[in-house]
Structures are given as structure tokens and as C-alpha cells.
Amino acid sequence: METALEVYNDTETRSPETQPIKRRKKKSMVWEHFTIEAVEPNCRRAFCKGCNQSFAYSNGNKVAGTSHLKRHIAKGTCPALIHTQDNDNNQLMTTPYTPKSDTPRRRYRTQTPSPYVAFNQDKCRQEIAKMIIMHDYPLHMVQHPGFISFVQSIQPHFDAMSFNNVQGDCVATYLAEKQNVMKSLEGIPGRFCLTLDFWTSKLTLGYVFITAHFIDSDWKIQKKLLNVMMESYPEADEALSLAVANCVSEWGLEGKLFSVTFNHPASPSAVENIRPQLCIKNPGILDGQLVIGNCVARTFSSLAKDVLEKGKDVIKNIRDSVKHVKTSESHEERFIELKEQLQVPSEKVLSLDDQTQWNTTYKMLVAASELKEVFSCLDTADPDYKKPPSAEDWRHVEALCTFLKPLFEAASTLQSTGNPSAVTFFHEVWKTQSDLSRAIAGEDPYVAGIAKTMKEKVDKYWRDCSLVLAMAVVMDPRFKMKLVEFSFSKIFGEDAGKNIKTVDDGIHELFSEYMALPSPLKPTSEGGKADGLSDFDTYIMETTGQNLKSELDQYLDETLLPRVQEFDVLDWWKQNKLKYPTLSKMARDILSIPVSAAAFDYVFDMEPREMDEYKTSLRPETVEALICAREWLLENASSSAAEQMASAIIKSEA
């Protein structure tokens, strides 16, 4: 067999027709990795020195070139090159060949040789774990034949993964992200408010989603999912308090809690079990009074459920009529034709409702009500339509929509606003309570019956949450105590004064507790120490302190700000934190209290969310890792995309 040197020497004596071989012999470093050998008469092939794989080189006078040989050694397909690389070097490697000439040949002028990328099994496994987490894929997908075939077609050297492998990788990803979250929470200047969102499962297990709400150093309200805890006995009175205790211990929140809001309709004893969590190592929070027993989203859903239950027979008639139109193309065509003939101006489109989401039923009723004239005449145009709703039915539908409309608009605010203000829902709740009182006193027994059932739940929510909501109103410089006084006079009548005093006493007591807090929560007199006048400050306090107004009283006595639509209450406190150093810290914590424990896309749910069967089959630790890591990774991706967009805008403006 000829050696490479013999082949090259042989080319020197060939005829002019074979000179392309001669021109190529010293132009490429590719020959450091290949030898040329004759396999048949007039047929030579290039053999890789590393893996001995052969490639076409010449056949008679036809020469194959070296591009395919370069690809073999440049793109990491040669097993020998993969195994001989330095395992500790995970960075990109340059191609093993370098052209001797600074000027590339014409045929390669527009091509840049691809860098040789070292295959890294661990890196691939990390990316697969992130993919599974972010897209909520089942862990078992790594064992699916289709996935294995796909991966091997891309990288034959990728080792197959087991369920245990990918489970461990996902948990490792979660733990790494958890460290980042913990680090980000260390510098939060205020306290944390927790929400507990309760999910059920078909296995009678409960899952408590615990989210922390807080205001960061830039006075922006933030939230972060901390835990997804499985509760074997969710109906137990201590289930929620145990979940809170575990969360506080795990995340180091001792002494940093301010309030707890949960959506699960827990028993009074379960609520009382949570109160000590706020008191122990958490001074300055009104002896645990800041526990909201039911989130506003669940309250609205419960009220809507009562309304729909009261009108279930009428709603069924409407649903059947809508179903008749929407489930047949010919029926819908007749309905549209009749609507045009009657010149009904409504732009509403009929749609069937999802009975697990009360907003879809409300929208169905609204659309049908606006098109009631068409339904009333539809039996004349459509012989298949037998039972149109009666005039009494339509009157009841309008009454139902009257009750559902304010609930729908208020709940929609929860969806459209990432962190809705407690001030908004203070206004909504007391208006709802006032409207229901008038409806009960009205002459329509059907309307009065619905209003009475609803008012009982609104009254309970108000008793549980009015102090928290009112304190948030007081911390808004557009309202302060004035809105509390006005609304309470409408709600409580003769008892208004007593209830107003409860709020005023509570806000002053809380402020006193903040004044008594040690550093770093209490503002220090570093400026006084720096100028050597600390003794003078003490003298001023001793001689005139009794006559000086507190920050709180000074704030309350100042004129209300105009009610502009785009007012940012947090930004106002940021700008006035030097004027009100202690009060601003109290305002930061009060204004971070969430009014809802439900995720924005679940605010219209009729029942608690249910964990799917696949996740309930996993270990509780794995479920928590998958759900928490997914939210954190998606937040990071969203934040990164926002930063890139902002950077692009800045560059375009420049």
C-alpha cells in the first residue's frame, strides 16, 4: 500500500491533466489528519488517521477535493478527536486546521469555518432538565423512543437518560435557582406578606402554594413563589399553619412576616392557628390581626356562585338556546339572518360557557340578553327551535347580570393588574355592600333573595378584612382617613364612629410599634452623630417632644392630594421617605399586603385548582422543584427579554 509521501512524489511525474492533485498537495493542513491510499486501480481514498474512516479522494482523473475532509475534523464528528480533547476544557475550540495563506480561495470566500464544539454530556443534561421544567413536560419523556431517536440523530455520543437521572437533574436545577432567589431576598428592606393558594387532588392530598409579596428597594411591588407543599391531611386545622411554619423556617423569614392571606375557606380554628406565626419573633403587627381569612378573588367567585345557583333553572334555558344555535351551522345561519332582518344592533357573539369559570357564564348571559329579540322570534324562522325563554326568564337574566357585572369588573382588575391595590378593592367592597343593602330593601323579591345571600358573605369578608383594607387607604395620600370616614358612614350608619375609631386606633398603634422597633427598621440618627449634636437631639426630644406632632399625625393633617388617574402611591412614598422615615417603612409593609391569593389566570375559578394525576404520582419534593423552578426560570426569561427590548429602544433613540 502506498504511503502519503509516495503518492505526493508520484504526482510530480503525472501528465498536465492530473495537475489539480499537484496544486492541492501543500495547500491545506487537512493532510495532517489524513493519508491517501490506493484501494483499486485508478481509485484512491483518504483515510482518517484518528478513526480510520475512509473518504473519496480521486477516481481516475477526477479529484474529490478536501471540503468533506475538513468537515470531518472541524465539526466534531471524528470520535478520535472527541476522546482526545481535554475534558476540563468546555470552551469552544478552533478548527484543527489553519489555511497557510491569508487570502482564502474564491470558493470559500463567503464561508466561515464552523468552530469545533466540544460535546459536553453534563451540559446537555442540564439543558434537557431546563426544557422539561419550563415547558412542563413529563419526566418520562427522556425514555420515549421518539425522544431517544431524535437526540441520537443530533449527537450519537449522548448517553441515554433514565427517569432517575432527569429527576435528579431537575431537582439540581431547582436547588441552584433557589440559591439565587434566596440571595435576591436578602436585601429586601421591608417585611414579607404571604399568600396561601390551596390546590386539591383526586388522591385527597392537598397542595399549598406559598408566595411572598414584598416591596423592593426601588419601591416596586414584587412577588416570588417560595414553596409548593403537599399536605396529607388538608382538612386538618393545623395544615395551613404547619405549611407557614415550614416556609418561615426554610426561607429564614423569622421576624420578617407582616401578613398572611389565603384562599382556602379554612375553619376559624385554622385561622387562629396561623395568628401566632405572625406574633412570634414578629413584633409590630397588631398581635396577628393582619390575617386575611379569604382572598378577594375567592370571595367574588363565591358570590358569583351564589348568583348562578339562584338562577340555575333560567341559566339552563338560556344555555340550551345558545347550544341550539352554536352546535349547528344551519341553525346559526338562520339566527344571523333573523338578526339582520330584525336589525338588532348588538355586536355580541354567542358562545357556550365553561361552567368551571363563572365569567364565561356571565358573558353568555350578557350576549344572549342583548339578542333576546332574535331568540323570541327564532321559532318562526327555525322549525327545530321549540322552547324560547319566556319574558320572565329574560327579566331574571337581566337581574342576574346586574349582580354579576360589578363582580366581573372587579375580578377583571385582578387579571389586568399584576399586583392590584388594596385601595381599589376597599372601594369595590364597600360599594358592593351598600348596593346589596339597597337591593334587599327593594320591592322585587327575586332580586332581594339573591342580594340577601350575597350580603352575608360580603359582611363576613368585611369583618375579616376591613382593617387591612382601611389601613391601605390611610396610606394613600389622596384619601387618608377621609375615605374611611365617608365609606363607614354609608355602611355602618349610627355605628360608624365606633368603627372609624377602630381603624384610627389601629393605625396609631401600629405606628407606635414601628417607632419602638430597633435598628435597622428604626431610622438612625447617623447625621446627628456625624456632626456631634446627638446630645442636642436628646435635649430637643426631652424638652419639646410632647408638643411635636408625630410623623403619622403630621401626614394625616396635611391636605389630600388631587385624585389623578395615573397616581403611583409607591413612588410618592419613595419620594417622601426622608420626610417620613418611620411612617414610610410602615407604609411599605402595609401597601405590600396582597388582596388576592389566586394566580391572575385563576381568579374566575368556581372551585379550588386540582393538581393533575401525573404530578400527584411524583414525590412531593419533585413536584415542588418542578413548579417553583418553572416559575423562576420563566421570570428570568421574561426579565431578560424585557432588558433586551429596553436596550434596543435606548439604542434606537440614540
Side-chain angles (χ1 to χ4, degrees):
M1 185 174 292
E2 296 176 288
T3 65
L5 180 60
E6 291 172 339
V7 172
Y8 291 156
N9 291 336
D10 182 56
T11 60
E12 299 292 338
T13 60
R14 290 179 182 270
S15 62
E17 289 81 359
T18 63
Q19 286 308 303
I21 298 178
K22 179 178 180 180
R23 289 196 304 272
R24 295 169 186 258
K25 70 175 184 176
K26 294 182 179 180
K27 293 293 184 181
S28 176
M29 293 291 290
V30 71
W31 301 115
E32 293 181 6
H33 300 274
F34 289 90
T35 60
I36 305 301
E37 300 178 8
V39 294
E40 293 180 3
N42 297 324
C43 179
R44 290 182 172 85
R45 295 185 65 82
F47 286 82
C48 176
K49 295 179 181 179
C51 64
N52 204 36
Q53 185 176 350
S54 68
F55 298 84
Y57 177 67
S58 67
N59 191 351
N61 294 333
K62 185 177 181 181
V63 180
T66 59
S67 297
H68 59 308
L69 307 182
K70 292 177 181 178
R71 287 194 294 270
H72 177 68
I73 60 175
K75 294 190 175 182
T77 56
C78 177
L81 285 176
I82 294 175
H83 290 305
T84 56
Q85 60 147 326
D86 184 1
N87 291 331
D88 294 329
N89 181 11
N90 292 327
Q91 298 179 350
L92 300 181
M93 297 176 61
T94 57
T95 58
Y97 58 90
T98 304
K100 290 184 177 180
S101 173
D102 292 336
T103 304
R105 296 184 183 182
R106 182 178 180 84
R107 62 184 295 184
Y108 300 119
R109 186 169 297 167
T110 60
Q111 298 177 356
T112 301
S114 301
Y116 170 55
V117 181
F119 170 63
N120 188 319
Q121 173 82 11
D122 292 338
K123 179 65 174 177
C124 289
R125 284 179 50 166
Q126 291 172 12
E127 292 302 318
I128 288 175
K130 286 185 178 181
M131 176 190 70
I132 288 175
I133 291 171
M134 293 182 68
H135 301 288
D136 208 17
Y137 295 145
L139 299 179
H140 291 86
M141 72 171 291
V142 297
Q143 296 176 322
H144 294 171
F147 177 81
I148 295 172
S149 176
F150 169 72
V151 172
Q152 289 184 343
S153 70
I154 298 175
Q155 178 49 261
H157 300 282
F158 181 79
D159 295 333
M161 298 177 64
S162 67
F163 171 85
N164 288 336
N165 290 151
V166 73
Q167 180 176 238
D169 292 345
C170 288
V171 171
T173 300
Y174 157 75
L175 293 175
E177 292 298 321
K178 184 177 181 179
Q179 291 300 314
N180 295 333
V181 174
M182 281 187 162
K183 186 175 181 180
S184 69
L185 297 182
E186 288 177 357
I188 300 304
R191 291 178 173 169
F192 296 87
C193 301
L194 300 183
T195 57
L196 313 183
D197 191 8
F198 187 82
W199 288 36
T200 62
S201 74
K202 292 182 179 178
L203 300 181
T204 69
L205 300 173
Y207 292 85
V208 182
F209 287 59
I210 304 181
T211 303
H213 301 251
F214 54 92
I215 293 176
D216 62 21
S217 56
D218 195 36
W219 287 84
K220 301 296 182 184
I221 193 161
Q222 307 287 351
K223 62 180 179 180
K224 190 73 67 173
L225 178 64
L226 300 183
N227 292 103
V228 178
M229 295 186 177
M230 189 198 78
E231 293 293 336
S232 301
Y233 304 97
E235 69 283 352
D237 289 339
E238 65 274 10
L240 295 179
S241 60
L242 286 175
V244 172
N246 290 333
C247 174
V248 168
S249 175
E250 180 179 339
W251 289 88
L253 300 182
E254 294 89 350
K256 299 179 182 179
L257 282 191
F258 189 69
S259 76
V260 177
T261 305
F262 53 94
N263 72 334
H264 181 54
S267 64
S269 58
V271 175
E272 292 305 317
N273 285 339
I274 290 182
R275 294 195 193 280
Q277 302 287 340
L278 295 179
C279 300
I280 299 174
K281 298 183 180 180
N282 282 279
I285 49 176
L286 298 177
D287 296 326
Q289 294 183 56
L290 304 183
V291 175
I292 302 178
N294 206 354
C295 81
V296 72
R298 294 284 72 81
T299 299
F300 288 152
S301 292
S302 180
L303 293 173
K305 188 175 181 180
D306 289 340
V307 174
L308 298 179
E309 178 64 24
K310 189 71 175 179
K312 62 180 180 181
D313 293 334
V314 173
I315 293 172
K316 183 180 184 305
N317 291 343
I318 302 301
R319 185 180 292 117
D320 289 344
S321 294
V322 174
K323 189 181 298 185
H324 173 85
V325 174
K326 297 299 293 182
T327 56
S328 169
E329 186 175 347
S330 61
H331 292 171
E332 188 165 18
E333 289 176 354
R334 291 172 186 168
F335 185 89
I336 294 173
E337 290 174 2
L338 182 59
K339 176 190 173 185
E340 293 174 351
Q341 292 174 10
L342 296 173
Q343 297 182 348
V344 176
S346 175
E347 298 297 326
K348 296 290 185 182
V349 177
L350 292 175
S351 60
L352 284 170
D353 61 328
D354 174 0
Q355 296 182 49
T356 66
Q357 300 274 319
W358 65 266
N359 60 317
T360 64
T361 304
Y362 167 70
K363 292 178 180 179
M364 178 187 73
L365 295 177
V366 170
S369 182
E370 290 194 14
L371 297 167
K372 63 182 179 181
E373 185 180 354
V374 185
F375 280 109
S376 299
C377 300
L378 186 58
D379 56 346
T380 62
D382 185 352
D384 296 330
Y385 186 60
K386 303 295 184 182
K387 192 178 179 181
S390 64
E392 183 75 0
D393 289 340
W394 290 118
R395 187 177 69 83
H396 286 173
V397 167
E398 291 177 0
L400 297 175
C401 290
T402 300
F403 284 115
L404 292 173
K405 181 179 179 181
L407 300 178
F408 172 76
E409 291 175 346
S412 296
T413 303
L414 290 170
Q415 280 197 324
S416 60
T417 307
N419 292 287
S421 168
V423 177
T424 300
F425 289 95
F426 174 89
H427 191 64
E428 293 292 341
V429 173
W430 81 257
K431 272 204 327 176
T432 300
Q433 193 174 39
S434 180
D435 292 343
L436 291 175
S437 296
R438 286 195 298 270
I440 292 173
E443 298 180 355
D444 190 329
Y446 182 78
V447 171
I450 298 175
K452 185 177 181 180
T453 302
M454 295 176 66
K455 190 172 185 301
E456 292 176 358
K457 291 188 175 180
V458 174
D459 288 346
K460 182 181 184 305
Y461 180 82
W462 190 254
R463 287 194 302 271
D464 293 342
C465 308
S466 59
L467 178 60
V468 173
L469 297 178
M471 286 197 303
V473 169
V474 175
M475 292 296 101
D476 190 322
R478 298 170 298 171
F479 302 112
K480 303 182 182 178
M481 282 296 296
K482 295 299 182 183
L483 181 58
V484 175
E485 294 166 0
F486 172 78
S487 58
F488 277 28
S489 65
K490 300 289 185 181
I491 297 171
F492 298 111
E494 295 180 356
D495 295 330
K498 179 180 65 175
N499 290 281
I500 292 170
K501 186 176 185 303
T502 299
V503 175
D504 187 67
D505 290 346
I507 206 77
H508 277 84
E509 180 183 346
L510 187 61
F511 178 73
S512 297
E513 292 173 347
Y514 269 75
M515 285 294 294
L517 288 176
S519 300
L521 287 177
K522 184 176 180 180
T524 59
S525 55
E526 293 178 0
K529 293 176 182 178
D531 58 18
L533 294 176
S534 58
D535 291 340
F536 176 71
D537 293 335
T538 303
Y539 170 75
I540 292 294
M541 291 295 294
E542 291 175 350
T543 58
T544 62
Q546 298 298 322
N547 297 323
L548 292 176
K549 285 186 178 180
S550 69
E551 291 178 27
L552 175 59
D553 290 331
Q554 179 185 344
Y555 164 77
L556 292 176
D557 288 345
E558 290 180 347
T559 305
L560 299 181
L561 294 183
R563 295 197 308 276
V564 294
Q565 187 173 2
E566 299 301 323
F567 181 74
D568 186 341
V569 64
L570 294 181
D571 185 65
W572 187 88
W573 280 106
K574 178 182 179 181
Q575 302 303 324
N576 288 271
K577 64 182 179 181
L578 296 180
K579 182 179 181 180
Y580 303 112
T582 300
L583 188 60
S584 64
K585 289 177 170 56
M586 188 175 83
R588 181 200 297 273
D589 294 338
I590 290 175
L591 294 174
S592 66
I593 297 177
V595 293
S596 175
F600 77 95
D601 48 345
Y602 300 148
V603 299
F604 293 107
D605 283 5
M606 298 284 281
E607 301 293 341
R609 300 291 296 182
E610 185 175 282
M611 190 70 73
D612 62 74
E613 293 185 30
Y614 176 74
K615 284 193 174 66
T616 55
S617 69
L618 302 174
R619 296 185 310 181
E621 297 83 359
T622 303
V623 175
E624 181 175 55
L626 292 174
I627 295 176
C628 290
R630 181 175 188 268
E631 179 149 326
W632 299 338
L633 290 172
L634 291 177
E635 286 174 357
N636 294 341
S638 176
S639 175
S640 177
E643 290 176 359
Q644 291 177 4
M645 181 177 294
S647 177
I649 293 174
I650 292 173
K651 289 180 179 179
S652 64
E653 291 177 349

